[in-house]
Amino acid sequence: MEYNKLVSVVMPVHNGERFLREAIESVLNQTYTNFEFLIIENCSTDSSLKIIKSYNDPRIRVIIEEDCGQVQAYNRGFKESKGEYIFIHDHDDISHHERFEKQLEYIIENNFDIVGSYYELIDYKGVKLTEIKPPIYDYELKRTYYYKVTYLYNPTLCLKNIIFEHYGYFDKSFFPSSDYEFGLRVITKVKVGNVPEILLKWRNHSESLSHQNEKYGIANALFLACKYLELNKDNYSRNEYVLIKANNYYYYNKLLKSIKVILDNIRIIDLELLMLFFKIIVFFFQLKY
């Protein structure tokens, strides 16, 4: 089925000159063409703005954000978006040329509110490191997202614009985990999924904000996951709640806390919990990205 809905692409840029052209051109060369491209220039001190202005495409709308910060840039883009759907795109990532077309079709045909995709992890030079293939179904994502932040990953997302009106924007007080906090805030209230195709190359390098704030981000993510699991516990059975909680601690390297959760709930232990307990005790094996 063909669609011609206006969609918005939001790309915050801060000192992105090294990878910016590749990112911009991966957007401009999409097979789906009915989009506005909001590039939020966010206090760069390099040649980013010059690079942005070198493109003469009527779909590009340059926004100068003077309230410096990644979260502020994202929110400025979200608030100024006119499209029914919003695609998130970072200034150092590369979208597959059919990303917009395939995600838009998937989100509409399946009546989703938020859709991500499979993606590749690449290094500084663009060399493929690995593939990330998260669950594609709403039910499984709502269980695993508490301990697998990469399973509904911000740079891969296409989401309904109206979600921000209903549930608010990114909260800068949770930086560098503001996108994760937003996901946890809304995930039990919306329908989510992932397109089972690799539609993005996500660049992981030493200059990226996620890399620079990795240690603090991990601690913050665990705090948020535990907080929202407690708030949303009524959405899960007792067995599911215990399994999610034990996995939270396990995947964030809090193994003794994970064991305690399992032992405190020994009366309802099931096969999944037994397998987790076995991995911790016998193999001491960390399964994480």
Side-chain angles (χ1 to χ4, degrees):
M1 184 175 293
E2 294 184 0
Y3 298 100
N4 194 36
K5 295 178 180 292
L6 175 67
V7 302
S8 301
V9 185
V10 172
M11 179 189 288
V13 176
H14 175 73
N15 292 341
E17 62 181 4
R18 189 157 293 162
F19 308 111
L20 188 53
R21 287 194 182 278
E22 199 169 10
I24 289 175
E25 287 167 18
S26 77
V27 172
L28 297 180
N29 293 328
Q30 289 290 309
T31 55
Y32 190 86
T33 58
N34 189 20
F35 60 82
E36 58 167 3
F37 189 6
L38 282 66
I39 304 180
I40 299 87
E41 209 307 297
N42 186 222
C43 306
S44 294
T45 56
D46 63 2
S47 63
S48 291
L49 185 58
K50 182 178 179 181
I51 292 171
I52 294 166
K53 288 184 174 180
S54 71
Y55 289 90
N56 184 25
D57 190 303
R59 295 171 296 183
I60 293 177
R61 182 148 57 101
V62 182
I63 299 170
I64 307 299
E65 176 55 61
E66 297 179 352
D67 184 8
C68 301
Q70 185 187 48
V71 176
Q72 295 92 311
Y74 273 128
N75 286 341
R76 178 74 181 275
F78 299 151
K79 290 174 183 177
E80 296 210 17
S81 292
K82 300 175 182 177
E84 185 176 344
Y85 296 87
I86 294 175
F87 287 86
I88 295 175
H89 204 296
D90 286 347
H91 71 227
D92 49 3
D93 296 337
I94 306 166
S95 281
H96 186 280
H97 69 284
E98 291 183 315
R99 176 191 168 191
F100 297 175
E101 180 181 348
K102 291 188 174 184
Q103 282 191 283
L104 185 61
E105 180 180 9
Y106 199 79
I107 199 171
I108 294 173
E109 294 297 309
N110 295 284
N111 195 29
F112 284 118
D113 299 294
I114 302 176
V115 161
S117 72
Y118 292 173
Y119 57 99
E120 285 183 6
L121 183 65
I122 60 175
D123 68 8
Y124 181 87
K125 296 181 179 179
V127 176
K128 177 180 174 181
L129 300 174
T130 189
E131 295 180 356
I132 310 297
K133 295 183 177 181
I136 64 174
Y137 298 113
D138 178 83
Y139 172 74
E140 191 173 357
L141 281 167
K142 286 178 177 176
R143 292 180 61 191
T144 57
Y145 188 57
Y146 290 97
Y147 48 90
K148 287 285 192 179
V149 59
T150 56
Y151 274 5
L152 198 62
Y153 208 40
N154 192 57
T156 71
L157 296 186
C158 168
L159 64 163
K160 290 180 178 178
N161 195 335
I162 200 170
I163 287 175
F164 293 111
E165 295 180 27
H166 288 168
Y167 305 112
Y169 296 89
F170 289 3
D171 187 335
K172 68 179 181 180
S173 66
F174 293 110
F175 180 83
S177 303
S178 300
D179 53 343
Y180 186 45
E181 188 276 335
F182 174 80
L184 289 167
R185 195 193 324 151
V186 306
I187 195 167
T188 59
K189 304 175 180 69
V190 299
K191 187 178 179 183
V192 297
N194 278 308
V195 179
E197 296 183 53
I198 293 174
L199 298 179
L200 183 87
K201 293 182 179 181
W202 177 61
R203 197 184 305 267
N204 186 20
H205 57 95
S206 60
E207 296 177 13
S208 67
L209 284 174
S210 57
H211 187 90
Q212 292 173 6
N213 295 284
E214 183 175 10
K215 186 176 181 180
Y216 177 67
I218 290 172
N220 207 20
L222 175 59
F223 165 77
L224 290 168
C226 292
K227 170 187 173 180
Y228 277 99
L229 178 59
E230 292 303 311
L231 290 173
N232 296 326
K233 63 190 298 183
D234 291 342
N235 291 288
Y236 305 99
S237 68
R238 178 64 183 174
N239 291 61
E240 289 174 323
Y241 167 76
V242 171
L243 180 64
I244 294 169
K245 189 172 184 178
N247 270 301
N248 278 355
Y249 290 126
Y250 172 64
Y251 282 95
Y252 286 105
N253 293 323
K254 305 294 183 181
L255 300 183
L256 292 179
K257 286 189 175 183
S258 183
I259 291 172
K260 186 177 186 302
V261 170
I262 295 171
L263 294 179
D264 286 348
N265 294 275
I266 197 73
R267 292 182 180 180
I268 63 167
I269 202 164
D270 62 8
L271 181 59
E272 286 183 280
L273 275 172
L274 279 172
M275 291 175 63
L276 177 60
F277 187 72
F278 187 70
K279 285 189 290 187
I280 296 172
I281 299 300
V282 179
F283 294 107
F284 210 66
F285 185 54
Q286 312 293 306
L287 293 178
K288 59 183 181 177
Y289 292 124

